[in-house]
Amino acid sequence: MFEYLIFFTFAAIAVIFSAIVVIHRNPVVSALALVVSFFSLAVMYVLLDAPFMAALQVIVYAGAIMVLFLFVIMLLNLAHTEEPITRPIQQFLGITAAASFAITIIYYLCKAAVLHTGGPAEFVSDARAIGVSMFEAYIFPFEAVSILLLAAIVGALILSQRTSAITEAKDGGAR
Amino acid sequence: MSFDTPDILLNLIKIGIVLGLILNVTPIMVWVERRGSALIQDRPGPNRIGPLGLIQAMADAAKFILKEDLVPAQAHKVLYNLAPMFGLIPAVTTCAAIPFARGFTIPDAFTYNGVIGALLVAGAVANFLFGVIALRVTAHFGAKPGATRFNQWIGKIVGVALIATAPVLFGLFAWFRSVGSVAMPLGLGGRYFEPIIADVSIGILLIFALSSLGVYGLATAGWASANKFSMIGAVRASAQMISYELALTLSAVGVLMSAGTLQLTEVVYRQSGTFVLFDMIPLPAWNVFPMFVGFIVFWVASFAETNRLPFDFAEAEAEIVAGYHTEYSSMKFALFFMAEYMAMGTISALMATLFLGGWDVPYWNEPATFVGFLASFGAFLAKTTFFLMVFVWVRWTVPRLKYDLLMKLGWKVFLPLALLNMVIVAILIPLGWI
Amino acid sequence: MIPTSWFLILGAILFSLGVLGVLTRRNGITIFMSIELMVNAVNLTFIAYARELGSLHGLMWVFFIMAVAAAEAAVGLAIFIALYRHRETIDVDEANLMHW
């Protein structure tokens, strides 16, 4: 009973704040609403017996990625730039597409309805089990992701440099 | 999940203890900070309200509540009002996952013994004497010019209250002695009291997750104020906290590697006991000895995480007025103030737990009784207080860095050092040294 | 125990909201946030299935998705900063230099 109460509260919070993310015209408000939405998703992970993933969700998404978003919005001072109204045709098509997608997928989820069993009795997802799984079965993807992150760091540095290495080389060639 | 009455009662007691501690950090630390800074700068400091200025913090709180609450015209009203709460909530909730004492089994009955009787009698006599002293002191200083009526009233109230408690304590002693033993009320007898609110399996991750949300208070406040200085403070705060969170988290990884779990109760149990260095010197098995590098990194990064002075760029008053809370007044400003001190308290407790053995009393194997509980609680408070004192001491001693130096220090010095600490621990564990 | 399909429906709703954001908004950063929302909806679905099937593989996927999302956020925001430096706007309709 208690679990259902938590589920519906946080599901409602997640949906409402996600809608704010999409609809609100101020990017700072959008970013903060997204943080709330991510936080309620972390609560969902706890309900799904995956507290480790919930903690990771808050640390990675709410604690790092969204701070980065907020930082960039503040740095570029985007909150005061007016976003032009979207063309009506784009709005109509977008809403139609999203709504039809949602209706279809929810219809088939309800129709199929094979997933009401609630799963097996025990689902161990503590840090030890995840660590063992990651460093045995998933060691190769793990290494690949570490290389990806390194590449992302280098890429972000080069992209956000005030004078990038490419333009500098070009300028040097021109002179 | 099912709770019965004793369970709920025990949890309420724990929450009461922790909330009482964390909410009292702010007034006590305000007093310590102001008197401490006065001591360091060789001036008297606040000494008018109450003896030694002790209730200055209450006067400050009253002033904050009574002040006008200004909202800038250009501010984003909703976020401006929400920002102080964003700052406060992570600071209050984080301490739920920190174990604050040795657990003990609640006995089925209290039995009278000489020690308890002696303590009760001594308490009665001491309270009576303190009450008399308070009244005498009040009378003495009240006769001098410059004494405020308010101070006299405080002195009188304290004195009378202390004297009034003396017969109560003595009566308790007499009653207890005649009864002999009292059964534990409310079915609490026989329960195990684990002094931590949320003993979750992801303890330390929970703490890092919640404390990483603290930056939103600062960032939102700075942005919603619609003030250039606030904005600069917010941008600085978000960049600084992301950078130092990395060093902070990585330096704690060594502790988790040696404990083999994320649960903080387990981390502390692993640190109780001793290990013998070079077959000669017995040392407490605290993590600070094998992981000294990590400890230093964590300590310095905690200054950046709580925005304390060598690294207080979010509010650097010499550069950007008051940073993110420039536009805040009245109780909203007080909430930021409280959040800062609470974050300090939490991170001090966390440092004590991770590196100084938490509630472990060195060279003593705490029994799982009430005495062990009290002693270990005292040890925990002493360690936490030590770190809080160092926060104050450093603030009034070390000047502020430059912002680019802060970033360089975080990324080029502390991050590699934290990784080095991990490597050292990874070498020491197979050698059997930890 | 809450039925798994409820989590799946929640994930579907969030995903559709993300789709809506990507299709109707023109502010680059908002579009980016909508993508993050979609990624999170997928994460929720993965974890719901992981519990349903009692296997850790779903959690592993979420872990890697989080790592990739972090990399994506770093590079994506760097691209927006570069775009803003060159064009003074992050309206995605304005970034049409390679548009026919």
Side-chain angles (χ1 to χ4, degrees):
Chain A
M1 194 55 229
F2 199 53
E3 279 186 338
Y4 287 90
L5 189 70
I6 293 176
F7 175 81
F8 281 113
T9 314
F10 281 94
I13 290 175
V15 171
I16 290 169
F17 279 88
S18 307
I20 292 176
V21 173
V22 172
I23 293 163
H24 208 283
R25 309 206 73 80
N26 189 333
V28 173
V29 178
S30 287
L32 289 172
L34 194 56
V35 174
V36 178
S37 183
F38 285 168
F39 195 82
S40 40
L41 278 180
V43 177
M44 295 293 151
Y45 296 173
V46 174
L47 286 180
L48 284 167
D49 303 331
F52 186 80
M53 292 325 271
L56 271 193
Q57 162 91 0
V58 176
I59 291 176
V60 174
Y61 276 110
I65 294 183
M66 288 321 293
V67 179
L68 202 60
F69 269 89
L70 215 55
F71 180 77
V72 168
I73 294 170
M74 286 179 181
L75 192 71
L76 303 184
N77 212 358
L78 293 174
H80 304 294
T81 51
E82 279 296 303
E83 184 185 340
I85 304 297
T86 318
R87 287 180 292 273
I89 178 73
Q90 184 186 355
Q91 212 144 22
F92 172 74
L93 285 176
I95 290 170
T96 318
S100 51
F101 180 79
I103 289 166
T104 317
I105 202 160
I106 291 170
Y107 172 73
Y108 277 104
L109 275 177
C110 294
K111 194 185 168 195
V114 284
L115 294 166
H116 281 283
T117 53
E122 98 272 26
F123 170 50
V124 185
S125 70
D126 59 346
R128 184 176 300 277
I130 288 177
V132 167
S133 177
M134 184 182 300
F135 293 110
E136 281 176 1
Y138 284 87
I139 183 69
F140 181 69
F142 180 79
E143 295 294 339
V145 158
S146 67
I147 293 171
L148 174 75
L149 281 172
L150 184 64
I153 292 172
V154 176
L157 271 179
I158 288 180
L159 276 170
S160 57
Q161 261 174 354
R162 206 162 273 281
T163 50
S164 73
I166 303 164
T167 47
E168 223 162 61
K170 209 167 61 185
D171 287 353
R175 268 185 244 117
Chain B
M1 274 196 287
S2 67
F3 294 112
D4 51 349
T5 323
D7 248 351
I8 294 172
L9 203 69
L10 281 182
N11 276 317
L12 282 181
I13 291 171
K14 290 176 202 170
I15 293 171
I17 293 175
V18 171
L19 264 189
L21 284 180
I22 199 76
L23 290 178
N24 276 316
V25 162
T26 311
I28 294 171
M29 283 314 291
V30 167
W31 182 79
V32 170
E33 181 111 52
R34 296 185 66 176
R35 294 291 292 197
S37 68
L39 192 73
I40 289 171
Q41 297 173 347
D42 200 16
R43 57 186 171 83
N47 59 358
R48 284 293 177 272
I49 307 173
L52 292 173
L54 262 174
I55 53 172
Q56 175 73 39
M58 279 180 225
D60 283 346
K63 193 182 82 174
F64 276 131
I65 293 171
L66 296 174
K67 286 276 178 185
E68 186 189 356
D69 188 16
L70 288 168
V71 181
Q74 294 295 313
H76 191 288
K77 299 286 181 304
V78 179
L79 290 183
Y80 181 85
N81 289 324
L82 281 177
M85 299 175 211
F86 287 167
L88 195 65
I89 290 170
V92 181
T93 45
T94 341
C95 50
I98 296 176
F100 54 88
R102 174 86 163 88
F104 69 103
T105 315
I106 299 173
D108 288 321
F110 277 135
T111 39
Y112 175 80
N113 60 37
V115 178
I116 296 175
L119 277 177
L120 281 175
V121 172
V125 172
N127 273 8
F128 183 75
L129 286 179
F130 279 134
V132 171
I133 290 171
L135 286 182
R136 290 299 297 271
V137 168
T138 312
H140 177 70
F141 284 106
K144 290 193 171 182
T148 61
R149 183 165 292 184
F150 182 67
N151 273 1
Q152 289 183 49
W153 271 109
I154 293 289
K156 278 178 193 163
I157 291 169
V158 169
V160 171
L162 281 174
I163 291 175
T165 53
V168 175
L169 282 177
F170 195 76
L172 201 65
F173 159 71
W175 174 74
F176 202 9
R177 199 176 157 192
S178 66
V179 174
S181 86
V182 185
M184 204 66 201
L186 299 163
L188 286 176
R191 297 272 175 158
Y192 190 74
F193 183 78
E194 184 71 67
I196 176 172
I197 294 177
D199 191 16
V200 286
S201 61
I202 51 160
I204 182 123
L205 279 184
L206 179 76
I207 288 178
F208 283 135
L210 286 174
S211 66
S212 71
L213 296 179
V215 66
Y216 287 107
L218 277 62
T220 317
W223 178 79
S225 301
N227 176 324
K228 287 193 187 69
F229 295 120
S230 305
M231 183 79 159
I232 296 172
V235 171
R236 283 179 170 193
S238 45
Q240 171 186 339
M241 281 178 123
I242 286 192
S243 311
Y244 274 82
E245 214 170 72
L246 218 58
L248 194 80
T249 317
L250 279 177
S251 57
V253 167
V255 175
L256 306 178
M257 283 160 76
S258 78
T261 173
L262 299 173
Q263 209 161 355
L264 278 176
T265 44
E266 203 58 37
V267 169
V268 178
Y269 277 118
R270 282 287 304 247
Q271 293 181 69
S272 53
T274 53
F275 79 100
V276 183
L277 189 67
F278 305 132
D279 293 332
M280 283 191 300
I281 317 155
L283 286 171
W286 295 351
N287 282 328
V288 59
F289 299 114
M291 297 161 211
F292 191 71
V293 181
F295 173 63
I296 295 296
V297 173
F298 195 95
W299 204 353
V300 177
S302 72
F303 281 87
E305 276 295 292
T306 50
N307 280 308
R308 290 290 295 188
L309 195 76
F311 304 139
D312 72 334
F313 293 96
E315 48 175 297
E317 70 274 359
E319 302 166 17
I320 49 173
V321 191
Y324 63 97
H325 56 52
T326 304
E327 296 287 356
Y328 280 88
S329 56
S330 162
M331 207 55 205
K332 282 181 202 140
F333 170 73
L335 284 184
F336 280 120
F337 211 66
M338 282 166 74
E340 183 187 326
Y341 282 102
M342 283 179 193
M344 266 165 65
T346 313
I347 209 144
S348 299
L350 188 63
M351 251 189 293
T353 306
L354 289 180
F355 292 102
L356 285 196
W359 42 256
D360 177 46
V361 183
Y363 305 117
W364 187 49
N365 194 12
E366 301 88 356
T369 59
F370 190 65
V371 178
F373 167 77
L374 276 187
S376 55
F377 191 34
F380 175 77
L381 285 185
K383 290 167 189 172
T384 309
T385 315
F386 165 71
F387 284 115
L388 281 170
M389 292 298 157
V390 174
F391 268 114
V392 172
W393 179 29
V394 167
R395 170 165 180 186
W396 298 100
T397 312
V398 183
R400 188 177 295 124
L401 261 73
K402 262 166 65 190
Y403 190 67
D404 59 327
L405 279 182
L406 166 91
M407 286 313 223
K408 256 182 210 158
L409 200 65
W411 286 102
K412 294 186 184 167
V413 179
F414 287 127
L415 189 59
L417 276 181
L419 290 171
L420 175 73
N421 178 57
M422 266 169 74
V423 173
I424 292 173
V425 175
I427 293 170
L428 288 183
I429 288 176
L431 288 177
W433 281 36
I434 296 178
Chain C
M1 205 166 206
I2 300 162
T4 310
S5 52
W6 293 9
F7 290 102
L8 299 182
I9 290 172
L10 177 65
I13 294 172
L14 294 184
F15 193 90
S16 316
L17 280 169
V19 171
L20 180 68
V22 170
L23 290 181
T24 56
R25 296 304 298 268
R26 291 165 69 184
N27 184 335
I29 289 206
T30 314
I31 291 179
F32 205 21
M33 285 195 273
S34 304
I35 294 175
E36 293 289 341
L37 187 61
M38 285 155 76
V39 168
N40 268 274
V42 173
N43 279 356
L44 178 64
T45 313
F46 264 122
I47 292 186
Y49 274 120
R51 191 195 61 167
E52 174 71 26
L53 304 172
S55 87
L56 279 176
H57 297 296
L59 296 195
M60 290 296 111
W61 273 98
V62 173
F63 184 85
F64 291 122
I65 289 172
M66 278 181 186
V68 172
E72 174 206 326
V75 177
L77 289 172
I79 289 175
F80 281 120
I81 290 179
L83 183 65
Y84 190 80
R85 285 218 176 103
H86 285 283
R87 302 239 147 184
E88 299 274 304
T89 176
I90 51 158
D91 192 329
V92 285
D93 282 8
E94 301 290 323
N96 55 2
L97 204 63
M98 293 179 78
H99 195 275
W100 47 273

